[in-house]
């Protein structure tokens, strides 16, 4: 019984392991004279590697997260951008959650 509990615990641990990266700040252009700050916004997008080699939404994660953040605030671009990524693993897939944070900028 004790061995079964240990094996079950190890299997559970192996199927729910996750990691997170440190946030990275990207340089961006400052707010221009014909633009205004719309406040802080955030967007995220998840990509999956099915069976370790079938990519699902892997190549567009950054673009999707950036677009979501800009649209959420009703702006045209972001400044003071910070990105981070979180990873998770399951039996048949690896998941990657990409997050973009920044200050939305729009036209005056």
């Amino acid at each position: 019984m004790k061995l079964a509990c240990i094996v079950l615990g190890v299997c559970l641990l192996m199927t729910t392991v996750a990691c997170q990266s440190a946030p990275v700040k990207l340089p961006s252009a400052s707010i221009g004279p014909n633009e205004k700050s719309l406040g802080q916004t955030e967007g995220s997008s998840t990509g999956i590697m099915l069976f370790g080699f079938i990519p699902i939404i892997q190549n567009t994660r950054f673009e999707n997260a950036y677009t979501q953040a800009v649209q959420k605030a009703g702006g045209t671009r972001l400044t003071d951008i910070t990105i981070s990524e979180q990873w998770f693993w399951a039996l048949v897939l690896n998941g990657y959650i990409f997050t973009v944070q920044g200050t939305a900028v729009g036209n005056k």
Side-chain angles (χ1 to χ4, degrees), residues 51-75:
F51 301 114
F53 66 92
I54 301 172
I56 302 171
I57 313 176
Q58 278 291 78
N59 296 333
T60 59
R61 284 179 297 139
F62 178 80
E63 182 180 349
N64 294 344
Y66 183 89
T67 302
Q68 181 187 45
V70 170
Q71 288 177 349
K72 192 184 287 186

Side-chain angles (χ1 to χ4, degrees), residues 1-2 5 8 25 39-41 44 47 61 65 81 95 101:
M1 182 67 182
K2 186 175 180 179
C5 288
L8 182 61
K25 190 137 174 102
Q40 290 292 318
T41 186
S44 64
R61 284 179 297 139
I81 300 168
Q101 298 172 327

Side-chain angles (χ1 to χ4, degrees), residues 15-63:
T15 60
T16 59
V17 177
C19 295
Q20 185 169 347
S21 70
V24 176
K25 190 137 174 102
L26 298 176
S28 58
S30 59
I31 298 173
N34 294 329
E35 296 177 315
K36 64 180 178 181
S37 174
L38 301 175
Q40 290 292 318
T41 186
E42 178 179 309
S44 64
S45 180
T46 302
I48 294 173
M49 288 295 286
L50 189 60
F51 301 114
F53 66 92
I54 301 172
I56 302 171
I57 313 176
Q58 278 291 78
N59 296 333
T60 59
R61 284 179 297 139
F62 178 80
E63 182 180 349

